[in-house]
C-alpha cells in the first residue's frame, strides 16, 4: 500500500503517491512561478493563498494518476520544516484532515532531508552512508554529513544569502525574469565566465565550511550601477551575458570549494546533492568533475527531483519503518534554525513515536 506525500514549504504545491519500495506512482507539481514573477521573488502571502486554492486539486490529480483509491493509502506525509509558515500550514492542515478521515498514520518530514533523499529515489542503493550532503536551493545552502536518511549533521552553510537567492537577485539586477536561476543559466551560455573576476568569499578559507553570497550579489549590483552613479547603466546584450556567466562561475566555484573541503574533512566516499540550484548545468558539470577528481560517487538527481517536488517525500517510508509517526498535535517548524528544530522535535519525540504493533 502506498503513501501520499505533500510538499508546500515554499511556492510549489506538490503531491505524490509512493509505494513501499520507493516506487513513485505519481508526482504532481503545481508551480506558482507565474504568480510571483512580477515581484521577482516569492511573496509569502500570495504563496499560501495559492496553496489553499491548489492543494485539493493537486492531491486529487496525484491519486488519480497513481490509479489508486484514497482508501488504498497507508499513511499521509507532509513536509513540516523548514519553510514559509503560511505555506507549511496549508500542507499540514490538508495532511491532518486526510489522515484523520482515513484513520491512517501521519508523518511530518524534513524538506532538507527529503531533497537529499531524492538521490535514493534516483540512484537506489548507490546512496551509501556516511555521505556528504549538499542542499543548494532558493532558501538554503548547507553542507551535511549524512549518517542515515534521517540523520543529518550540519557541517556548514551560507552565512547570509542562499545561492538560489543570489541567482534570483542577480537575475533581477540584469532585468531577467523569475525564477532567476534558469534565466541566468540561459544568458550565461553566450557570455564569458572570465569577463569579471567576482568575489568568492570564504572559498579559500579551509578552516570553515561556511559560504557567503551577499558580496557576489553586490558586485553584480556595482557593475549594473557603479557606486555614486544615479542610474543603472544600459548594458549591451553581450555585457549582460558576460555578467551572467561570470556570476554563475563565481557561485559554482564557491560551492565546489566547500564540497571539496567537506570531502577532505569527513573522508566520505559519496556525495548526495539536491535543491533547485543543482538543476544548473554548470554546477552539475563541476560537481561531476570534482567527483572524478576525488574518486567519489557523485549523486546528482534528474532535474525534476532537484526543484521542489513531493516524490522526495518518499523519505516518509524511513519514518514509518522506524515507527516514527506523528500525533495530531504535529506542528510546523518554519525558519532554518536546525538547532531550535531539534529541541522542538525532542519535545515532540515521544508523541512522534508510534505505539509498537501488538504481536
Ligand atoms: O529547491 P527549490 O525549488 O526551492 C527551495 O526550496 O528554495 O529551489 C528554487 C531555487 C530558485 O532560487 C531558483 O532560481 C533556483 O532554485 N534554480 C536554479 C536553476 N533552476 C532553479 N538556479 C540555477 N540554475 C538553474 N538551472
Ligand atoms: Zn526546496
Amino acid at each position: 500500500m502506498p503513501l501520499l506525500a505533500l510538499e508546500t514549504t515554499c511556492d510549489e504545491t506538490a503531491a505524490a503517491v509512493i509505494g513501499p519500495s520507493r516506487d513513485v506512482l505519481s508526482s504532481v507539481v503545481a508551480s506558482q512561478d507565474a504568480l510571483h514573477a512580477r515581484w521577482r521573488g516569492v511573496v509569502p502571502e500570495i504563496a499560501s493563498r495559492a496553496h489553499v486554492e491548489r492543494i485539493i486539486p493537486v492531491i486529487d490529480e496525484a491519486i488519480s494518476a497513481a490509479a489508486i483509491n484514497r482508501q488504498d493509502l497507508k499513511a499521509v506525509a507532509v513536509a513540516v520544516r523548514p519553510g514559509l509558515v503560511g505555506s507549511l500550514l496549508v500542507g499540514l492542515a490538508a495532511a491532518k484532515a486526510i489522515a484523520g478521515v482515513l484513520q491512517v498514520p501521519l508523518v511530518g518530514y524534513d524538506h532538507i532531508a527529503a531533497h537529499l533523499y531524492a538521490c535514493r529515489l534516483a540512484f537506489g542503493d548507490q546512496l551509501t552512508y556516511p555521505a556528504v550532503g549538499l542542499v543548494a536551493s532558493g532558501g538554503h545552502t548547507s553542507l551535511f554529513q549524512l549518517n542515515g536518511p534521517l540523520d543529518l549533521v550540519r557541517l556548514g552553510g551560507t552565512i547570509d544569502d542562499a545561492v538560489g537567492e543570489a541567482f534570483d537577485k542577480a537575475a533581477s539586477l540584469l532585468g531577467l525574469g523569475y525564477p532567476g536561476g534558469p534565466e541566468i543559466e540561459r544568458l550565461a551560455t553566450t557570455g564569458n565566465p572570465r569577463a569579471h573576476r567576482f568575489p568568492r568569499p570564504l572559498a579559500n578559507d579551509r578552516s570553515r565550511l561556511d559560504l557567503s553570497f551577499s558580496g557576489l550579489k553586490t558586485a553584480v549590483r556595482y557593475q549594473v550601477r557603479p557606486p555614486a552613479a544615479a542610474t543603472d547603466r544600459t548594458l549591451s546584450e553581450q555585457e549582460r551575458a558576460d555578467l551572467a556567466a561570470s556570476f554563475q562561475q563565481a557561485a559554482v566555484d564557491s560551492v565546489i570549494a566547500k564540497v571539496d573541503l567537506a570531502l577532505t574533512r569527513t573522508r566520505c566516499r559519496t556525495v548526495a546533492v539536491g535543491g533547485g540550484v543543482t538543476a544548473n548545468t554548470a554546477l552539475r558539470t563541476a560537481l561531476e568533475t570534482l567527483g572524478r577528481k576525488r574518486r567519489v560517487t557523485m549523486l546528482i538527481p534528474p532535474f525534476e527531483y532537484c526543484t521542489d517536488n513531493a516524490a522526495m517525500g518518499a523519505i516518509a517510508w524511513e519514518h514509518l519503518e522506524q515507527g516514527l509517526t506523528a500525533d495530531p498535535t504535529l506542528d510546523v517548524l518554519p525558519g532554518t534554525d536546525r538547532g531550535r528544530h531539534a529541541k522542538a522535535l525532542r519535545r515532540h519525540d515521544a508523541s512522534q513515536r508510534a505505539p509498537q504493533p501488538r504481536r
Side-chain angles (χ1 to χ4, degrees), residues 130-149:
V132 166
L134 163 73
V135 176
S137 74
H140 321 280
T141 303
S142 302
L143 282 157
F144 298 94
Q145 176 165 325
L146 307 177
N147 296 322

Side-chain angles (χ1 to χ4, degrees), residues 1 35 102 159 162 170 198 204 211 229 266 271 317 324 331 341:
M1 275 163 76
L35 295 179
L102 297 177
I159 56 168
F198 283 141
N204 292 326
L211 299 106
T266 61
V271 181
W317 279 110
L324 293 167
D331 206 351
H341 288 182

Side-chain angles (χ1 to χ4, degrees), residues 24-259:
V24 181
L25 304 182
S26 67
S27 174
V28 178
V29 182
S31 166
Q32 299 180 9
D33 285 351
L35 295 179
H36 302 286
R38 65 183 280 222
W39 311 104
R40 296 198 173 143
V42 177
V43 183
E45 183 59 22
I46 293 177
S48 35
R49 280 167 195 260
H51 284 308
V52 171
E53 283 165 16
R54 293 167 185 207
I55 187 81
I56 299 299
V58 164
I59 291 170
D60 285 345
E61 196 183 328
I63 289 175
S64 80
I68 59 156
N69 295 314
R70 276 205 178 99
Q71 287 66 25
D72 297 332
L73 292 172
K74 186 186 163 69
V76 182
V78 58
V80 288
R81 68 173 176 141
L84 303 170
V85 63
S87 293
L88 288 166
L89 281 169
V90 178
L92 179 62
K96 279 187 182 178
I98 299 169
V101 169
L102 297 177
Q103 296 279 296
V104 295
L106 175 69
V107 175
Y109 67 88
D110 174 3
H111 175 78
I112 298 295
H115 263 306
L116 298 171
Y117 198 72
C119 291
R120 168 76 171 74
L121 286 184
F123 303 104
D125 295 342
Q126 282 189 64
L127 174 53
T128 53
Y129 301 97
V132 166
L134 163 73
V135 176
S137 74
H140 321 280
T141 303
S142 302
L143 282 157
F144 298 94
Q145 176 165 325
L146 307 177
N147 296 322
L150 306 179
D151 185 355
L152 281 65
V153 179
R154 193 172 186 277
L155 302 170
T158 182
I159 56 168
D160 41 52
D161 296 350
V163 61
E165 198 180 341
F167 268 93
D168 293 336
K169 286 182 179 156
S172 168
L173 289 168
L174 293 173
L176 301 168
Y178 174 84
E183 299 276 319
I184 293 266
E185 177 168 0
R186 186 183 47 74
L187 187 57
T189 53
T190 53
N192 174 7
R194 283 180 292 277
H196 302 270
R197 178 72 198 168
F198 283 141
R200 287 129 169 96
L202 303 178
N204 292 326
D205 184 346
R206 305 280 295 174
S207 72
R208 57 200 279 206
L209 280 162
D210 291 328
L211 299 106
S212 164
F213 294 99
S214 65
L216 176 55
K217 176 189 67 190
T218 309
V220 176
R221 173 103 209 74
Y222 283 164
Q223 288 299 323
V224 178
R225 182 191 298 178
T231 52
D232 289 353
R233 285 197 301 136
T234 309
L235 300 165
S236 71
E237 192 57 22
Q238 189 58 50
E239 281 177 310
R240 290 168 71 238
D242 287 348
L243 284 169
S246 302
F247 164 85
Q248 179 173 269
Q249 189 63 53
V252 168
D253 288 351
S254 301
V255 172
I256 294 294
K258 295 302 168 174
V259 177

Side-chain angles (χ1 to χ4, degrees), residues 126 128-132 262-264 266-272 290-299:
Q126 282 189 64
T128 53
Y129 301 97
V132 166
L263 281 168
T264 303
T266 61
R267 297 166 184 249
C268 287
R269 309 300 307 154
T270 304
V271 181
L290 178 69
R292 280 194 298 276
K293 188 179 119 202
R294 298 294 307 249
R295 294 172 197 242
V296 298
T297 307
M298 185 65 69
L299 302 176

